[in-house]
Amino acid sequence: MDNRPIGFLDSGVGGLTVVRELLRQLPHEDVVYIGDSARAPYGPRPAEQIRDYTWQMVNFLLTKNVKMIVLACNTATAVVWEEVKAKLDIPVLGVILPGASAAIKSTTHQKIGVIGTPMTVSSGIYQEKIQHLAPDMEVTSLACPKFVPLVESNELTSSVSKKVVYETLKPLVGKVDTLVLGCTHYPLLKPIIQNVMGPSVKLIDSGAECVRDISVLLNYFELNKSRELAGQNHRFYTTANANSFAAIAEKWLERSVNVEHVNL
Amino acid sequence: MDNRPIGFLDSGVGGLTVVRELLRQLPHEDVVYIGDSARAPYGPRPAEQIRDYTWQMVNFLLTKNVKMIVLACNTATAVVWEEVKAKLDIPVLGVILPGASAAIKSTTHQKIGVIGTPMTVSSGIYQEKIQHLAPDMEVTSLACPKFVPLVESNELTSSVSKKVVYETLKPLVGKVDTLVLGCTHYPLLKPIIQNVMGPSVKLIDSGAECVRDISVLLNYFELNKSRELAGQNHRFYTTANANSFAAIAEKWLERSVNVEHVNL
């Protein structure tokens, strides 16, 4: 039993897709969230910079006395998950292995697509993890550099978004039966992505899959919060404008949220 | 990536219900199983003896170079899981927390029944774990000392079994909406138990729930077996008669198995 909050970090608002799933599956747990929207997107940045920025957020979360840290960002997971996990004495989760495992279970024709930021795709980490577990899988990866800026500017259903998603994903249509949304921002574009890919393609939300892992690890490390305490003490921090962050967060989480601006 | 087998231990054949689920969900993993049928049932034994016997099996599994140990036995989990987990440097899983979590998720009226061996029930561990996570749950526990001997003697569908199950479970009928099968032997009696409890009662198979945890921890600790290697190198050991064990195992696992007698 451990009543401390769970820490989440992301380059911006994308990790909220993980938080939404957490609040559904584990509504009694408390959340501390830090989004680095001022420096998003991370995808096109060099690995060393992503590493520095992620550590700044990790250290910020540690000052909030968290019991677990979730890298709710595929780019950060690709670059620095193993290093952070090795250095901290609390559990550290990434979103890539849960997404890779779910894709292997889901695919019916061994044809998996992965979309992500330029860094996630160029790291080849999804392909590596999927093919390590299941060498017969055909993995096709595609960088979607325009998706995170769309989401960060709250363009979730505009005609601009539809056009960008359609043009970006065209090379994958008809080629895969399962598509990993390898960036936690992308579930915010899920209806458009599903529409472009077609109804038979299974979309894997790496962040939502990660919540199953959070639940198991809370059990394994005996870190669950007691349900005697109401789980309403969530705190959100952003390096950019608090109101802009709150607008997206409140819509996505379907509740009012308290957002503070913070400098890292 | 780690191609060593996963070790399972049980007081007898009950842990095979966990193995069956493992082979369904993670068919590429290898299994080493030890069942202490010669000394089953564990349930009526004193805690100190259960502790000694379980450690004998743990040490046996360690000689087989396992990468993870699953206490596929509620009684052993109740008595010694935390101790074994603390002492070994490989992950050690029990079946109680996964069962308790699944019951909390399943119940619709906060009325959970738990059936188990006398030791599991008198330890109060399910009630403790469930109410720690969710204090508003009403937990009714019932010891079923006759169930394990029925299963160990392969009496899975006889009229004797039906009579024993009916008479034992009568106090719970109509009182709970969810029933935890808090002994890995009990899923072998599942059709009879479901029939007695009624179709609306959700039965929680603690062993099957545990496989979800195995999968997540294989990911977290990066211990998955490569799928390049076929997962057909399973080994089963029993402290009692190998042929009797094989008869139950082959029926339950729907495949031929290789069983060796061993003295602990």
Side-chain angles (χ1 to χ4, degrees), chain A residues 152-186:
Chain A
E152 288 288 326
S153 56
N154 206 1
E155 292 254 9
L156 304 184
T157 52
S158 69
S159 58
V160 172
S161 292
K162 285 177 187 161
K163 188 159 177 286
V164 168
V165 172
Y166 173 75
E167 284 177 358
T168 308
L169 294 184
K170 220 164 30 178
L172 286 180
V173 174
K175 304 263 172 48
V176 299
D177 63 56
T178 296
L179 181 66
V180 179
L181 307 182
C183 171
T184 52
H185 283 73
Y186 297 178

PDB file of all heavy atoms in Angstrom, chain A residues 152-186:
ATOM      1  N   GLU A 152      -0.845  19.483 -30.434  1.00  0.00           N
ATOM      2  CA  GLU A 152      -0.467  20.513 -29.459  1.00  0.00           C
ATOM      3  C   GLU A 152      -1.220  21.825 -29.714  1.00  0.00           C
ATOM      4  O   GLU A 152      -1.455  22.593 -28.792  1.00  0.00           O
ATOM      5  CB  GLU A 152       1.052  20.757 -29.476  1.00  0.00           C
ATOM      6  CG  GLU A 152       1.892  19.627 -28.868  1.00  0.00           C
ATOM      7  CD  GLU A 152       1.789  19.537 -27.338  1.00  0.00           C
ATOM      8  OE1 GLU A 152       1.651  20.572 -26.671  1.00  0.00           O
ATOM      9  OE2 GLU A 152       1.836  18.391 -26.812  1.00  0.00           O
ATOM     10  N   SER A 153      -1.627  22.042 -30.975  1.00  0.00           N
ATOM     11  CA  SER A 153      -2.394  23.259 -31.245  1.00  0.00           C
ATOM     12  C   SER A 153      -3.896  22.982 -31.227  1.00  0.00           C
ATOM     13  O   SER A 153      -4.691  23.799 -31.685  1.00  0.00           O
ATOM     14  CB  SER A 153      -1.957  23.870 -32.574  1.00  0.00           C
ATOM     15  OG  SER A 153      -2.091  22.916 -33.610  1.00  0.00           O
ATOM     16  N   ASN A 154      -4.268  21.821 -30.687  1.00  0.00           N
ATOM     17  CA  ASN A 154      -5.678  21.473 -30.464  1.00  0.00           C
ATOM     18  C   ASN A 154      -6.467  21.366 -31.773  1.00  0.00           C
ATOM     19  O   ASN A 154      -7.675  21.594 -31.805  1.00  0.00           O
ATOM     20  CB  ASN A 154      -6.328  22.493 -29.504  1.00  0.00           C
ATOM     21  CG  ASN A 154      -7.502  21.877 -28.744  1.00  0.00           C
ATOM     22  OD1 ASN A 154      -7.818  20.694 -28.912  1.00  0.00           O
ATOM     23  ND2 ASN A 154      -8.163  22.682 -27.925  1.00  0.00           N
ATOM     24  N   GLU A 155      -5.780  20.989 -32.829  1.00  0.00           N
ATOM     25  CA  GLU A 155      -6.435  20.802 -34.144  1.00  0.00           C
ATOM     26  C   GLU A 155      -6.794  19.328 -34.284  1.00  0.00           C
ATOM     27  O   GLU A 155      -6.139  18.580 -35.001  1.00  0.00           O
ATOM     28  CB  GLU A 155      -5.461  21.182 -35.271  1.00  0.00           C
ATOM     29  CG  GLU A 155      -5.114  22.627 -35.358  1.00  0.00           C
ATOM     30  CD  GLU A 155      -5.803  23.307 -36.553  1.00  0.00           C
ATOM     31  OE1 GLU A 155      -6.674  22.691 -37.193  1.00  0.00           O
ATOM     32  OE2 GLU A 155      -5.465  24.465 -36.814  1.00  0.00           O
ATOM     33  N   LEU A 156      -7.847  18.892 -33.615  1.00  0.00           N
ATOM     34  CA  LEU A 156      -8.094  17.447 -33.558  1.00  0.00           C
ATOM     35  C   LEU A 156      -9.058  16.964 -34.627  1.00  0.00           C
ATOM     36  O   LEU A 156      -9.048  15.791 -34.989  1.00  0.00           O
ATOM     37  CB  LEU A 156      -8.607  17.055 -32.167  1.00  0.00           C
ATOM     38  CG  LEU A 156      -7.695  17.464 -31.001  1.00  0.00           C
ATOM     39  CD1 LEU A 156      -8.245  16.949 -29.694  1.00  0.00           C
ATOM     40  CD2 LEU A 156      -6.274  16.984 -31.217  1.00  0.00           C
ATOM     41  N   THR A 157      -9.908  17.853 -35.109  1.00  0.00           N
ATOM     42  CA  THR A 157     -10.921  17.393 -36.071  1.00  0.00           C
ATOM     43  C   THR A 157     -11.040  18.332 -37.271  1.00  0.00           C
ATOM     44  O   THR A 157     -11.949  18.188 -38.075  1.00  0.00           O
ATOM     45  CB  THR A 157     -12.307  17.328 -35.387  1.00  0.00           C
ATOM     46  OG1 THR A 157     -12.563  18.591 -34.754  1.00  0.00           O
ATOM     47  CG2 THR A 157     -12.355  16.230 -34.341  1.00  0.00           C
ATOM     48  N   SER A 158     -10.106  19.259 -37.406  1.00  0.00           N
ATOM     49  CA  SER A 158     -10.223  20.252 -38.481  1.00  0.00           C
ATOM     50  C   SER A 158      -9.968  19.613 -39.841  1.00  0.00           C
ATOM     51  O   SER A 158      -9.408  18.517 -39.945  1.00  0.00           O
ATOM     52  CB  SER A 158      -9.211  21.377 -38.257  1.00  0.00           C
ATOM     53  OG  SER A 158      -7.909  20.873 -38.457  1.00  0.00           O
ATOM     54  N   SER A 159     -10.342  20.327 -40.872  1.00  0.00           N
ATOM     55  CA  SER A 159     -10.114  19.787 -42.221  1.00  0.00           C
ATOM     56  C   SER A 159      -8.617  19.757 -42.535  1.00  0.00           C
ATOM     57  O   SER A 159      -8.151  18.910 -43.291  1.00  0.00           O
ATOM     58  CB  SER A 159     -10.876  20.599 -43.264  1.00  0.00           C
ATOM     59  OG  SER A 159     -10.474  21.950 -43.188  1.00  0.00           O
ATOM     60  N   VAL A 160      -7.859  20.671 -41.923  1.00  0.00           N
ATOM     61  CA  VAL A 160      -6.398  20.621 -42.085  1.00  0.00           C
ATOM     62  C   VAL A 160      -5.874  19.292 -41.545  1.00  0.00           C
ATOM     63  O   VAL A 160      -5.080  18.597 -42.189  1.00  0.00           O
ATOM     64  CB  VAL A 160      -5.722  21.795 -41.331  1.00  0.00           C
ATOM     65  CG1 VAL A 160      -4.209  21.635 -41.344  1.00  0.00           C
ATOM     66  CG2 VAL A 160      -6.129  23.125 -41.940  1.00  0.00           C
ATOM     67  N   SER A 161      -6.332  18.913 -40.351  1.00  0.00           N
ATOM     68  CA  SER A 161      -5.890  17.650 -39.757  1.00  0.00           C
ATOM     69  C   SER A 161      -6.240  16.474 -40.656  1.00  0.00           C
ATOM     70  O   SER A 161      -5.425  15.574 -40.895  1.00  0.00           O
ATOM     71  CB  SER A 161      -6.548  17.446 -38.392  1.00  0.00           C
ATOM     72  OG  SER A 161      -6.061  18.390 -37.479  1.00  0.00           O
ATOM     73  N   LYS A 162      -7.463  16.462 -41.139  1.00  0.00           N
ATOM     74  CA  LYS A 162      -7.886  15.349 -42.003  1.00  0.00           C
ATOM     75  C   LYS A 162      -6.983  15.233 -43.225  1.00  0.00           C
ATOM     76  O   LYS A 162      -6.574  14.136 -43.601  1.00  0.00           O
ATOM     77  CB  LYS A 162      -9.350  15.558 -42.430  1.00  0.00           C
ATOM     78  CG  LYS A 162     -10.321  15.258 -41.287  1.00  0.00           C
ATOM     79  CD  LYS A 162     -11.769  15.536 -41.682  1.00  0.00           C
ATOM     80  CE  LYS A 162     -12.654  15.394 -40.444  1.00  0.00           C
ATOM     81  NZ  LYS A 162     -13.948  16.062 -40.599  1.00  0.00           N
ATOM     82  N   LYS A 163      -6.671  16.353 -43.799  1.00  0.00           N
ATOM     83  CA  LYS A 163      -5.831  16.342 -45.000  1.00  0.00           C
ATOM     84  C   LYS A 163      -4.418  15.847 -44.669  1.00  0.00           C
ATOM     85  O   LYS A 163      -3.855  15.004 -45.374  1.00  0.00           O
ATOM     86  CB  LYS A 163      -5.779  17.782 -45.559  1.00  0.00           C
ATOM     87  CG  LYS A 163      -5.113  17.922 -46.898  1.00  0.00           C
ATOM     88  CD  LYS A 163      -5.552  19.218 -47.583  1.00  0.00           C
ATOM     89  CE  LYS A 163      -4.839  19.435 -48.896  1.00  0.00           C
ATOM     90  NZ  LYS A 163      -3.437  19.848 -48.751  1.00  0.00           N
ATOM     91  N   VAL A 164      -3.852  16.367 -43.591  1.00  0.00           N
ATOM     92  CA  VAL A 164      -2.491  15.967 -43.204  1.00  0.00           C
ATOM     93  C   VAL A 164      -2.436  14.471 -42.899  1.00  0.00           C
ATOM     94  O   VAL A 164      -1.530  13.756 -43.353  1.00  0.00           O
ATOM     95  CB  VAL A 164      -2.020  16.788 -41.975  1.00  0.00           C
ATOM     96  CG1 VAL A 164      -0.749  16.174 -41.393  1.00  0.00           C
ATOM     97  CG2 VAL A 164      -1.783  18.237 -42.363  1.00  0.00           C
ATOM     98  N   VAL A 165      -3.414  13.982 -42.129  1.00  0.00           N
ATOM     99  CA  VAL A 165      -3.416  12.558 -41.769  1.00  0.00           C
ATOM    100  C   VAL A 165      -3.563  11.700 -43.021  1.00  0.00           C
ATOM    101  O   VAL A 165      -2.851  10.702 -43.214  1.00  0.00           O
ATOM    102  CB  VAL A 165      -4.542  12.258 -40.751  1.00  0.00           C
ATOM    103  CG1 VAL A 165      -4.665  10.763 -40.528  1.00  0.00           C
ATOM    104  CG2 VAL A 165      -4.256  12.969 -39.421  1.00  0.00           C
ATOM    105  N   TYR A 166      -4.479  12.088 -43.891  1.00  0.00           N
ATOM    106  CA  TYR A 166      -4.701  11.316 -45.111  1.00  0.00           C
ATOM    107  C   TYR A 166      -3.422  11.238 -45.945  1.00  0.00           C
ATOM    108  O   TYR A 166      -2.990  10.166 -46.358  1.00  0.00           O
ATOM    109  CB  TYR A 166      -5.844  11.955 -45.921  1.00  0.00           C
ATOM    110  CG  TYR A 166      -6.031  11.329 -47.275  1.00  0.00           C
ATOM    111  CD1 TYR A 166      -6.638  10.065 -47.394  1.00  0.00           C
ATOM    112  CD2 TYR A 166      -5.576  11.971 -48.430  1.00  0.00           C
ATOM    113  CE1 TYR A 166      -6.782   9.478 -48.641  1.00  0.00           C
ATOM    114  CE2 TYR A 166      -5.720  11.383 -49.669  1.00  0.00           C
ATOM    115  CZ  TYR A 166      -6.331  10.140 -49.773  1.00  0.00           C
ATOM    116  OH  TYR A 166      -6.467   9.550 -51.011  1.00  0.00           O
ATOM    117  N   GLU A 167      -2.795  12.388 -46.149  1.00  0.00           N
ATOM    118  CA  GLU A 167      -1.602  12.405 -47.013  1.00  0.00           C
ATOM    119  C   GLU A 167      -0.425  11.683 -46.381  1.00  0.00           C
ATOM    120  O   GLU A 167       0.358  11.028 -47.066  1.00  0.00           O
ATOM    121  CB  GLU A 167      -1.223  13.854 -47.361  1.00  0.00           C
ATOM    122  CG  GLU A 167      -2.180  14.391 -48.408  1.00  0.00           C
ATOM    123  CD  GLU A 167      -1.935  15.849 -48.754  1.00  0.00           C
ATOM    124  OE1 GLU A 167      -1.035  16.459 -48.151  1.00  0.00           O
ATOM    125  OE2 GLU A 167      -2.660  16.361 -49.634  1.00  0.00           O
ATOM    126  N   THR A 168      -0.317  11.789 -45.062  1.00  0.00           N
ATOM    127  CA  THR A 168       0.808  11.139 -44.390  1.00  0.00           C
ATOM    128  C   THR A 168       0.674   9.617 -44.403  1.00  0.00           C
ATOM    129  O   THR A 168       1.645   8.893 -44.631  1.00  0.00           O
ATOM    130  CB  THR A 168       0.902  11.632 -42.920  1.00  0.00           C
ATOM    131  OG1 THR A 168       0.898  13.051 -42.898  1.00  0.00           O
ATOM    132  CG2 THR A 168       2.164  11.100 -42.256  1.00  0.00           C
ATOM    133  N   LEU A 169      -0.549   9.140 -44.143  1.00  0.00           N
ATOM    134  CA  LEU A 169      -0.718   7.689 -43.946  1.00  0.00           C
ATOM    135  C   LEU A 169      -0.926   6.916 -45.248  1.00  0.00           C
ATOM    136  O   LEU A 169      -0.895   5.680 -45.238  1.00  0.00           O
ATOM    137  CB  LEU A 169      -1.902   7.418 -42.998  1.00  0.00           C
ATOM    138  CG  LEU A 169      -1.717   7.896 -41.555  1.00  0.00           C
ATOM    139  CD1 LEU A 169      -2.923   7.474 -40.721  1.00  0.00           C
ATOM    140  CD2 LEU A 169      -0.436   7.335 -40.945  1.00  0.00           C
ATOM    141  N   LYS A 170      -1.116   7.632 -46.336  1.00  0.00           N
ATOM    142  CA  LYS A 170      -1.405   6.975 -47.613  1.00  0.00           C
ATOM    143  C   LYS A 170      -0.493   5.770 -47.906  1.00  0.00           C
ATOM    144  O   LYS A 170      -0.991   4.721 -48.335  1.00  0.00           O
ATOM    145  CB  LYS A 170      -1.341   8.011 -48.747  1.00  0.00           C
ATOM    146  CG  LYS A 170      -2.406   7.824 -49.776  1.00  0.00           C
ATOM    147  CD  LYS A 170      -2.634   9.028 -50.707  1.00  0.00           C
ATOM    148  CE  LYS A 170      -1.430   9.891 -50.975  1.00  0.00           C
ATOM    149  NZ  LYS A 170      -1.744  10.999 -51.926  1.00  0.00           N
ATOM    150  N   PRO A 171       0.829   5.881 -47.675  1.00  0.00           N
ATOM    151  CA  PRO A 171       1.706   4.740 -48.011  1.00  0.00           C
ATOM    152  C   PRO A 171       1.396   3.458 -47.231  1.00  0.00           C
ATOM    153  O   PRO A 171       1.829   2.377 -47.620  1.00  0.00           O
ATOM    154  CB  PRO A 171       3.121   5.234 -47.657  1.00  0.00           C
ATOM    155  CG  PRO A 171       3.008   6.692 -47.474  1.00  0.00           C
ATOM    156  CD  PRO A 171       1.588   7.024 -47.162  1.00  0.00           C
ATOM    157  N   LEU A 172       0.659   3.580 -46.098  1.00  0.00           N
ATOM    158  CA  LEU A 172       0.401   2.393 -45.277  1.00  0.00           C
ATOM    159  C   LEU A 172      -0.954   1.752 -45.569  1.00  0.00           C
ATOM    160  O   LEU A 172      -1.187   0.591 -45.191  1.00  0.00           O
ATOM    161  CB  LEU A 172       0.438   2.768 -43.780  1.00  0.00           C
ATOM    162  CG  LEU A 172       1.795   3.030 -43.140  1.00  0.00           C
ATOM    163  CD1 LEU A 172       1.603   3.391 -41.669  1.00  0.00           C
ATOM    164  CD2 LEU A 172       2.707   1.806 -43.268  1.00  0.00           C
ATOM    165  N   VAL A 173      -1.833   2.492 -46.242  1.00  0.00           N
ATOM    166  CA  VAL A 173      -3.210   1.990 -46.413  1.00  0.00           C
ATOM    167  C   VAL A 173      -3.205   0.694 -47.230  1.00  0.00           C
ATOM    168  O   VAL A 173      -2.579   0.612 -48.288  1.00  0.00           O
ATOM    169  CB  VAL A 173      -4.093   3.064 -47.089  1.00  0.00           C
ATOM    170  CG1 VAL A 173      -5.480   2.500 -47.399  1.00  0.00           C
ATOM    171  CG2 VAL A 173      -4.210   4.288 -46.189  1.00  0.00           C
ATOM    172  N   GLY A 174      -3.856  -0.330 -46.687  1.00  0.00           N
ATOM    173  CA  GLY A 174      -3.936  -1.616 -47.378  1.00  0.00           C
ATOM    174  C   GLY A 174      -2.717  -2.492 -47.166  1.00  0.00           C
ATOM    175  O   GLY A 174      -2.681  -3.642 -47.626  1.00  0.00           O
ATOM    176  N   LYS A 175      -1.713  -1.999 -46.466  1.00  0.00           N
ATOM    177  CA  LYS A 175      -0.456  -2.748 -46.309  1.00  0.00           C
ATOM    178  C   LYS A 175      -0.337  -3.452 -44.957  1.00  0.00           C
ATOM    179  O   LYS A 175       0.551  -4.281 -44.779  1.00  0.00           O
ATOM    180  CB  LYS A 175       0.748  -1.789 -46.454  1.00  0.00           C
ATOM    181  CG  LYS A 175       0.760  -1.023 -47.767  1.00  0.00           C
ATOM    182  CD  LYS A 175       1.658  -1.697 -48.767  1.00  0.00           C
ATOM    183  CE  LYS A 175       1.554  -1.098 -50.150  1.00  0.00           C
ATOM    184  NZ  LYS A 175       1.622   0.366 -50.198  1.00  0.00           N
ATOM    185  N   VAL A 176      -1.144  -3.048 -43.976  1.00  0.00           N
ATOM    186  CA  VAL A 176      -1.004  -3.601 -42.622  1.00  0.00           C
ATOM    187  C   VAL A 176      -2.393  -3.921 -42.062  1.00  0.00           C
ATOM    188  O   VAL A 176      -3.388  -3.316 -42.455  1.00  0.00           O
ATOM    189  CB  VAL A 176      -0.297  -2.595 -41.668  1.00  0.00           C
ATOM    190  CG1 VAL A 176       1.102  -2.271 -42.178  1.00  0.00           C
ATOM    191  CG2 VAL A 176      -1.100  -1.312 -41.496  1.00  0.00           C
ATOM    192  N   ASP A 177      -2.444  -4.907 -41.144  1.00  0.00           N
ATOM    193  CA  ASP A 177      -3.733  -5.184 -40.497  1.00  0.00           C
ATOM    194  C   ASP A 177      -3.795  -4.605 -39.088  1.00  0.00           C
ATOM    195  O   ASP A 177      -4.846  -4.599 -38.450  1.00  0.00           O
ATOM    196  CB  ASP A 177      -4.036  -6.690 -40.499  1.00  0.00           C
ATOM    197  CG  ASP A 177      -3.027  -7.496 -39.691  1.00  0.00           C
ATOM    198  OD1 ASP A 177      -2.829  -7.207 -38.497  1.00  0.00           O
ATOM    199  OD2 ASP A 177      -2.429  -8.427 -40.258  1.00  0.00           O
ATOM    200  N   THR A 178      -2.639  -4.174 -38.590  1.00  0.00           N
ATOM    201  CA  THR A 178      -2.540  -3.615 -37.237  1.00  0.00           C
ATOM    202  C   THR A 178      -1.629  -2.403 -37.311  1.00  0.00           C
ATOM    203  O   THR A 178      -0.596  -2.455 -37.975  1.00  0.00           O
ATOM    204  CB  THR A 178      -1.934  -4.668 -36.277  1.00  0.00           C
ATOM    205  OG1 THR A 178      -2.841  -5.773 -36.189  1.00  0.00           O
ATOM    206  CG2 THR A 178      -1.689  -4.092 -34.891  1.00  0.00           C
ATOM    207  N   LEU A 179      -2.038  -1.328 -36.664  1.00  0.00           N
ATOM    208  CA  LEU A 179      -1.223  -0.110 -36.708  1.00  0.00           C
ATOM    209  C   LEU A 179      -0.967   0.371 -35.288  1.00  0.00           C
ATOM    210  O   LEU A 179      -1.905   0.685 -34.544  1.00  0.00           O
ATOM    211  CB  LEU A 179      -1.933   0.992 -37.510  1.00  0.00           C
ATOM    212  CG  LEU A 179      -1.165   2.315 -37.636  1.00  0.00           C
ATOM    213  CD1 LEU A 179       0.108   2.137 -38.469  1.00  0.00           C
ATOM    214  CD2 LEU A 179      -2.055   3.398 -38.261  1.00  0.00           C
ATOM    215  N   VAL A 180       0.312   0.423 -34.910  1.00  0.00           N
ATOM    216  CA  VAL A 180       0.684   0.923 -33.593  1.00  0.00           C
ATOM    217  C   VAL A 180       0.736   2.447 -33.636  1.00  0.00           C
ATOM    218  O   VAL A 180       1.484   3.019 -34.441  1.00  0.00           O
ATOM    219  CB  VAL A 180       2.060   0.382 -33.153  1.00  0.00           C
ATOM    220  CG1 VAL A 180       2.435   0.938 -31.779  1.00  0.00           C
ATOM    221  CG2 VAL A 180       2.066  -1.140 -33.137  1.00  0.00           C
ATOM    222  N   LEU A 181      -0.072   3.063 -32.781  1.00  0.00           N
ATOM    223  CA  LEU A 181       0.021   4.515 -32.616  1.00  0.00           C
ATOM    224  C   LEU A 181       1.209   4.766 -31.686  1.00  0.00           C
ATOM    225  O   LEU A 181       1.064   4.824 -30.472  1.00  0.00           O
ATOM    226  CB  LEU A 181      -1.266   5.085 -32.025  1.00  0.00           C
ATOM    227  CG  LEU A 181      -2.563   4.703 -32.767  1.00  0.00           C
ATOM    228  CD1 LEU A 181      -3.763   5.364 -32.108  1.00  0.00           C
ATOM    229  CD2 LEU A 181      -2.480   5.071 -34.240  1.00  0.00           C
ATOM    230  N   GLY A 182       2.404   4.842 -32.294  1.00  0.00           N
ATOM    231  CA  GLY A 182       3.643   4.839 -31.529  1.00  0.00           C
ATOM    232  C   GLY A 182       4.026   6.224 -31.044  1.00  0.00           C
ATOM    233  O   GLY A 182       5.216   6.567 -30.987  1.00  0.00           O
ATOM    234  N   CYS A 183       3.049   7.000 -30.678  1.00  0.00           N
ATOM    235  CA  CYS A 183       3.245   8.316 -30.091  1.00  0.00           C
ATOM    236  C   CYS A 183       1.981   8.569 -29.289  1.00  0.00           C
ATOM    237  O   CYS A 183       0.872   8.396 -29.803  1.00  0.00           O
ATOM    238  CB  CYS A 183       3.426   9.372 -31.179  1.00  0.00           C
ATOM    239  SG  CYS A 183       3.414  11.076 -30.528  1.00  0.00           S
ATOM    240  N   THR A 184       2.140   8.995 -28.029  1.00  0.00           N
ATOM    241  CA  THR A 184       0.952   9.128 -27.187  1.00  0.00           C
ATOM    242  C   THR A 184       0.060  10.292 -27.603  1.00  0.00           C
ATOM    243  O   THR A 184      -1.067  10.414 -27.132  1.00  0.00           O
ATOM    244  CB  THR A 184       1.347   9.260 -25.697  1.00  0.00           C
ATOM    245  OG1 THR A 184       2.320  10.294 -25.551  1.00  0.00           O
ATOM    246  CG2 THR A 184       1.913   7.948 -25.183  1.00  0.00           C
ATOM    247  N   HIS A 185       0.555  11.168 -28.486  1.00  0.00           N
ATOM    248  CA  HIS A 185      -0.324  12.208 -29.014  1.00  0.00           C
ATOM    249  C   HIS A 185      -1.363  11.644 -29.995  1.00  0.00           C
ATOM    250  O   HIS A 185      -2.427  12.219 -30.174  1.00  0.00           O
ATOM    251  CB  HIS A 185       0.489  13.275 -29.764  1.00  0.00           C
ATOM    252  CG  HIS A 185       1.224  14.240 -28.885  1.00  0.00           C
ATOM    253  ND1 HIS A 185       2.347  13.880 -28.174  1.00  0.00           N
ATOM    254  CD2 HIS A 185       1.000  15.560 -28.588  1.00  0.00           C
ATOM    255  CE1 HIS A 185       2.792  14.941 -27.496  1.00  0.00           C
ATOM    256  NE2 HIS A 185       1.988  15.961 -27.724  1.00  0.00           N
ATOM    257  N   TYR A 186      -1.021  10.557 -30.672  1.00  0.00           N
ATOM    258  CA  TYR A 186      -1.823  10.143 -31.819  1.00  0.00           C
ATOM    259  C   TYR A 186      -3.233   9.660 -31.484  1.00  0.00           C
ATOM    260  O   TYR A 186      -4.144   9.809 -32.310  1.00  0.00           O
ATOM    261  CB  TYR A 186      -1.080   9.082 -32.640  1.00  0.00           C
ATOM    262  CG  TYR A 186       0.224   9.547 -33.270  1.00  0.00           C
ATOM    263  CD1 TYR A 186       1.012   8.660 -34.008  1.00  0.00           C
ATOM    264  CD2 TYR A 186       0.677  10.856 -33.155  1.00  0.00           C
ATOM    265  CE1 TYR A 186       2.210   9.060 -34.591  1.00  0.00           C
ATOM    266  CE2 TYR A 186       1.880  11.265 -33.726  1.00  0.00           C
ATOM    267  CZ  TYR A 186       2.640  10.360 -34.440  1.00  0.00           C
ATOM    268  OH  TYR A 186       3.826  10.763 -35.006  1.00  0.00           O
TER     269      TYR A 186
END
